[in-house]
Amino acid sequence: MDPRFIDTIPSLSYNDDKCDDEYAFVKALCMSGGDGTNSYSANSRLQRKALTMAKPVLVKTTEEMMMSLDFPTYIKVAELGCSSGQNTFLAIYEIINTISVLCQHVNKNPPEIDCCLNDLPENDFNTTFKFVPFFNKELMITNKASCFVYGAPGSFYSRLFSRNSLHIIHSSYALHWLSKVPEKLENNKGNVYITSSSPQSAYKAYLNQFQKDFTKFLRLRSEEIVSNGRMVLTFIGRNTLNDPLYRDCCHFWTLLSKSLRDLVFEGLVSESKLDSFNMPFYDPNVQELKQVIRNEGSFEINELETHGFDLGHSTYEEDDYEGGHDEANCIRAVSEPMLVAHFGEDIIDTLFDKYAHHVTQHANCRNKTTVSLVVSLTKK
């Protein structure tokens, strides 16, 4: 690039401390990149399972979209929060396969399809794009519709696409991540998320931030998606309706809090450092999800399903360190960049050794509060 052109680009300045903090945290909110032992690509078994559970809803939604739009000759698909690795292409393949089979059934030519992969700019798109040639080869072998894959970096809490350009949107295990850590969590000391010991104010702060973020998400997508376009969204949620603070003893963030408190006790992490760290995450229940969708008003709920959620420790036995280590790697893959940004790199291995130990100590936990929520929506 001509250096004279670079000189004309305005620089971004983050003089304000608050802006600095927010930018650093958003930058850190990504999955562990690459394909190594601790990467998201190598530790996303749970996410793959969630995609499999949501497949019937995705197939039905895709068929309804094609028929309601009278079999358009061009389709634009968006995968929001695509992360990295092979899982990115599972839902896209199902959408393309469903369209191809349906078109064959009604004796119509399949449409050309644009597939836009979205995640935050710091996401490891390179690992994902390495799989594109294999994905295209699989489509060619199976005689599916033509597909063109693009990257669309940016927050899905901002506009990403031109108006009325999308036909179907898919997102799995991404929208429970908030745009930022809620404010007024000062009294939730020693916890990285809501627990039974948290004050009601913590729950209200998290719920309020989720309502703001998801409302904004729906409004922005309503501008980008065509009338009668569809969305299939999968969340990590909870099945508790009466006690908003209750999370089971083996909840993944509860175990992370316990592991960090171990490090505080051993003098490896300061208490103030732990108290200032909170996850930008919220696990809504069905009622909370429905309320936001209905209040925003742009989409109609077609289906809303609840499925079991299990990182795997229900199949472990006590003192099964290998099983505990598998779950620890799964949580490490989705949280390590944020943890490193706040606590530094030196504690990470020790932290997740502690985490694996806590998993095995809760092998008999059966009263699970965490579920997967799958919702299918139609643009009004």
Side-chain angles (χ1 to χ4, degrees), residues 8 36-37 53 61 63 82 90 118 126 142-143 182 185 209 233 245 257 263 299 301 309 349 355 364:
T8 67
T37 304
M53 288 189 298
T61 300
E63 290 174 340
C82 67
L90 293 178
N118 157 261
N126 286 339
T142 53
N143 295 313
L185 293 176
Q209 188 62 49
L233 313 174
L245 294 177
S257 295
L263 299 192
F299 293 88
I301 300 174
F309 174 97
D349 288 341
Y355 192 103
N364 295 323

Side-chain angles (χ1 to χ4, degrees), residues 208-240:
N208 181 58
Q209 188 62 49
F210 171 75
Q211 289 171 333
K212 285 181 179 179
D213 284 345
F214 191 40
T215 297
K216 186 174 185 180
F217 173 89
L218 293 172
R219 178 176 57 79
L220 294 170
R221 302 294 82 80
S222 72
E223 296 175 15
E224 297 167 345
I225 200 165
V226 300
S227 180
N228 280 321
R230 302 298 204 273
M231 292 202 295
V232 176
L233 313 174
T234 302
F235 298 75
I236 292 177
R238 70 184 196 281
N239 57 18
T240 53

Side-chain angles (χ1 to χ4, degrees), residues 25 29 31 157 173-182 185 192-194 202-203 205-207 209-210 213 235-238 247 251-254 278-284 309 331 334 338 370-371:
F25 200 82
L29 207 172
M31 308 298 103
Y157 295 122
Y173 279 13
L175 280 162
H176 42 246
W177 293 110
L178 304 176
S179 66
K180 64 176 185 177
V181 173
L185 293 176
V192 304
Y193 187 55
I194 300 168
Y203 157 68
Y206 269 105
L207 176 61
Q209 188 62 49
F210 171 75
D213 284 345
F235 298 75
I236 292 177
R238 70 184 196 281
R247 303 295 187 279
H251 189 280
F252 44 93
W253 296 144
T254 300
N278 293 279
M279 279 293 173
F281 172 96
Y282 187 69
D283 47 353
F309 174 97
I331 297 303
V334 302
M338 288 184 286
T370 303
V371 294

Side-chain angles (χ1 to χ4, degrees), residues 36-330:
T37 304
N38 297 318
S39 68
Y40 175 85
S41 181
N43 295 282
S44 48
R45 176 186 70 252
L46 170 70
Q47 291 83 351
R48 191 179 189 93
K49 186 177 178 181
L51 288 164
T52 301
M53 288 189 298
K55 177 181 172 180
V57 174
L58 182 60
V59 169
K60 182 180 178 183
T61 300
T62 303
E63 290 174 340
E64 291 173 348
M65 178 271 296
M66 287 296 292
M67 290 185 287
S68 68
L69 297 178
D70 196 23
F71 292 87
T73 58
Y74 166 76
I75 292 289
K76 188 171 182 179
V77 179
E79 176 72 25
L80 304 185
C82 67
S83 194
S84 61
Q86 297 183 61
N87 281 1
T88 298
F89 297 97
L90 293 178
I92 293 173
Y93 182 85
E94 291 302 336
I95 291 171
I96 295 172
N97 182 61
T98 300
I99 291 172
S100 297
V101 170
L102 183 62
C103 287
Q104 187 176 24
H105 181 71
V106 297
N107 198 29
K108 289 183 177 290
N109 292 325
E112 290 195 328
I113 301 173
D114 278 345
C115 292
C116 303
L117 307 182
N118 157 261
D119 213 307
L120 292 170
E122 300 304 320
N123 179 58
D124 180 15
F125 284 99
N126 286 339
T127 295
T128 296
F129 288 141
K130 287 177 183 177
F131 291 103
V132 171
F134 302 100
F135 177 66
N136 286 334
K137 185 178 180 180
E138 179 67 20
L139 293 179
M140 288 178 62
I141 292 172
T142 53
N143 295 313
K144 306 303 181 191
S146 299
C147 176
F148 305 92
V149 179
Y150 306 90
S155 169
F156 49 54
Y157 295 122
S158 64
R159 274 289 300 275
L160 294 166
F161 306 101
S162 55
R163 291 180 183 276
N164 300 316
S165 64
L166 298 175
H167 298 85
I168 185 166
I169 294 172
H170 177 263
S171 181
S172 183
Y173 279 13
L175 280 162
H176 42 246
W177 293 110
L178 304 176
S179 66
K180 64 176 185 177
V181 173
E183 298 175 357
K184 300 179 180 178
L185 293 176
E186 295 82 6
N187 295 324
N188 196 33
K189 297 183 183 299
N191 298 308
V192 304
Y193 187 55
I194 300 168
T195 69
S196 297
S197 63
S198 300
Q200 282 284 336
S201 59
Y203 157 68
K204 291 178 181 177
Y206 269 105
L207 176 61
N208 181 58
Q209 188 62 49
F210 171 75
Q211 289 171 333
K212 285 181 179 179
D213 284 345
F214 191 40
T215 297
K216 186 174 185 180
F217 173 89
L218 293 172
R219 178 176 57 79
L220 294 170
R221 302 294 82 80
S222 72
E223 296 175 15
E224 297 167 345
I225 200 165
V226 300
S227 180
N228 280 321
R230 302 298 204 273
M231 292 202 295
V232 176
L233 313 174
T234 302
F235 298 75
I236 292 177
R238 70 184 196 281
N239 57 18
T240 53
L241 300 178
N242 298 322
D243 184 354
L245 294 177
Y246 181 68
R247 303 295 187 279
D248 60 66
C249 63
C250 54
H251 189 280
F252 44 93
W253 296 144
T254 300
L255 297 187
L256 183 61
S257 295
K258 288 182 177 181
S259 304
L260 284 165
R261 289 198 295 269
D262 289 344
L263 299 192
V264 171
F265 180 77
E266 295 176 11
L268 299 176
V269 170
S270 70
E271 191 171 354
S272 61
K273 201 73 172 173
L274 171 56
D275 291 343
S276 61
F277 183 81
N278 293 279
M279 279 293 173
F281 172 96
Y282 187 69
D283 47 353
N285 61 31
V286 169
Q287 291 177 350
E288 292 165 350
L289 198 60
K290 284 181 177 179
Q291 183 180 26
V292 175
I293 295 168
R294 288 169 177 166
N295 288 349
E296 194 281 328
S298 298
F299 293 88
E300 179 181 343
I301 300 174
N302 304 320
E303 295 184 60
L304 206 171
E305 295 184 351
T306 301
H307 297 273
F309 174 97
D310 190 358
L311 278 165
H313 55 241
S314 64
T315 62
Y316 305 152
E317 296 179 359
E318 286 197 50
D319 300 324
D320 178 7
Y321 178 76
E322 185 177 348
H325 189 68
D326 288 345
E327 180 175 334
N329 278 347
C330 181

